[in-house]
Amino acid sequence: MPVTRPAAAVAAVVALSLAATACGGSADDDTSGSRAGATAGGSGYPVKVENCGTTQVFDKAPSRVVVMNGASVAEVSTLLALGLGDKIVANQQSYGMSEVPGRAEAIKKLPTGGVKLNDAFDIPRESMIGLRPDLVLSTTSYGFDAKNGFATRDELKNAGARTYISPQGCHDENSKLTIEDSYRLLRDMGRIFHVSDRAEKIITASRKHIADVAAKVKGKKKPKVMMLFTNMTMGSNEFSAVVAKGIYNDILGKAGAANVFENASKTSFADLSKEKVAATDVDALVVIAYQDPNPAAYARKLFKEFPQWPAAKTNTYVTVSDSIYLSPDNDRAVEKIAKKLHPDAF
């Protein structure tokens, strides 16, 4: 959501509303809009990835990776989950917290490249070239747009770097993200770094975990959930960080819940008036913490503001962070939400 940051920082990833094909895809998933595959050979290279209209060819595993901000931790978390943290020379992603024990601390320890960030809280063109990357990861096309002060994909190619835009980010919008896109990102990184076995192990475990949780809540009445980011606005109204579309709804569905504001917008986020929020029956809150050390306090604040909600009367809320978005850990969000909303099923 390319505007100004930090509101735009979230916009670039979190508040996006997509209408196009996926950017990163697996070799066996042509419907994603991209394909990735490896040519036979002793090393498994070269690897070709068709990514958002470009062909990225890898003759070996990248060793100088730069991870752009984009208000995401999807890319850096995926690399860490695959055991590739030592390949990162500069990381700008951080939520400050995580559902995964030790993840936030591991991210904090990564090098930042010592660069001075631009007004979009990300790596400007000259600094990016100076980092001498051989792979640059961006959540959406925003990170390679010259208008935003960034190095373009062509400029980085001329400097010897490959570039990768994460699934559903080709057009700087991602309201169509699903859990499958998290797996797509894992698979693409697995191929690029020749660690596909690790990627498939994570995907298999995640699928099983989600299936087990979904089976426990199957057939149960689905609470009407309001999901929103803490203390954040992205539009004209006070409640402009309320989730409407995207991977969030996929996760809610697996957890046995329904987004009460799913039809309030065609984009990822609904820009709601206080009157609209007050007039809606909310059975439960899901509060997403982005750089907020006390998201529970925000939930309690909303309950005081809207005591008529069923959620306020039962004090029903759950807080999540990085696992609710594009992530190798979506199964954790599914379980956490399901356990809170359907405790009798566990």
Side-chain angles (χ1 to χ4, degrees):
M1 171 97 55
V3 216
T4 49
R5 311 218 171 167
V10 180
V13 197
V14 203
L16 306 164
S17 51
L18 201 156
T21 57
C23 299
S26 61
D28 54 359
D29 189 357
D30 291 347
T31 61
S32 70
S34 31
R35 299 188 297 272
T39 302
S43 66
Y45 291 97
V47 170
K48 286 187 178 182
V49 177
E50 300 298 329
N51 182 253
C52 294
T54 73
T55 300
Q56 304 294 317
V57 181
F58 298 85
D59 296 320
K60 60 181 180 179
S63 60
R64 295 187 60 81
V65 182
V66 173
V67 185
M68 299 190 73
N69 184 352
S72 175
V73 286
E75 293 73 24
V76 70
S77 293
T78 296
L79 293 179
L80 290 176
L82 291 171
L84 300 169
D86 61 333
K87 308 296 183 184
I88 299 172
V89 296
N91 169 62
Q92 296 302 327
Q93 295 187 345
S94 172
Y95 273 3
M97 59 191 66
S98 175
E99 268 75 62
V100 181
R103 173 68 57 73
E105 293 75 16
I107 291 175
K108 189 175 182 179
K109 290 178 181 178
L110 291 171
T112 63
V115 301
K116 181 179 180 180
L117 304 183
N118 59 17
D119 291 341
F121 297 96
D122 221 325
I123 304 173
R125 179 188 176 280
E126 294 77 12
S127 297
M128 177 66 77
I129 300 299
L131 288 169
R132 297 180 293 108
D134 55 9
L135 174 62
V136 179
L137 303 181
S138 179
T139 301
T140 70
S141 59
Y142 182 93
F144 298 123
D145 193 330
K147 298 193 305 291
N148 302 323
F150 301 125
T152 67
R153 303 189 85 177
D154 284 341
E155 288 173 332
L156 287 165
K157 180 180 179 180
N158 291 337
R162 308 294 180 263
T163 51
Y164 180 90
I165 297 173
S166 289
Q168 302 287 4
C170 297
H171 298 271
D172 198 10
E173 299 174 326
N174 46 24
S175 62
K176 293 185 178 180
L177 276 171
T178 69
I179 294 171
E180 287 301 316
D181 290 307
S182 293
Y183 298 154
R184 206 166 279 136
L185 177 57
L186 276 162
R187 283 202 173 100
D188 281 353
M189 293 301 106
R191 290 189 173 96
I192 289 170
F193 288 91
H194 201 48
V195 290
S196 290
D197 55 337
R198 299 180 201 172
E200 292 304 324
K201 183 178 292 186
I202 294 170
I203 292 168
T204 298
S206 175
R207 286 192 193 280
K208 184 180 185 307
H209 191 190
I210 290 174
D212 289 345
V213 172
K216 290 180 179 179
V217 300
K218 184 178 180 181
K220 292 187 175 293
K221 184 178 179 180
K222 295 184 176 182
K224 293 178 290 185
V225 171
M226 177 181 180
M227 183 184 293
L228 75 170
F229 281 79
T230 61
N231 300 301
M232 187 177 294
T233 58
M234 301 177 191
S236 58
N237 288 305
E238 181 181 353
F239 294 97
S240 55
V242 176
V243 171
K245 299 283 192 297
I247 193 171
Y248 317 97
N249 291 349
D250 193 11
I251 290 171
L252 282 180
K254 300 291 194 303
N259 185 347
V260 71
F261 290 113
E262 180 176 4
N263 296 319
S265 175
K266 293 182 180 180
T267 64
S268 295
F269 286 78
D271 194 358
L272 305 175
S273 66
K274 183 175 180 179
E275 291 73 22
K276 172 67 173 176
V277 172
T280 303
D281 284 336
V282 175
D283 296 324
L285 276 181
V286 174
V287 175
I288 306 171
Y290 176 77
Q291 303 290 2
D292 185 345
N294 193 4
Y298 184 66
R300 292 192 292 269
K301 171 190 168 186
L302 289 179
F303 287 161
K304 288 183 180 179
E305 192 171 0
F306 303 103
Q308 73 277 14
W309 284 348
K313 296 174 182 178
T314 59
N315 194 37
T316 304
Y317 71 91
V318 58
T319 64
V320 291
S321 58
D322 57 340
S323 65
I324 197 69
Y325 187 64
L326 190 70
S327 166
D329 310 297
N330 292 149
D331 58 309
R332 293 176 182 263
V334 171
E335 181 183 46
K336 189 173 185 180
I337 295 170
K339 281 186 172 180
K340 183 64 178 182
L341 302 186
H342 301 285
D344 57 322
F346 294 87

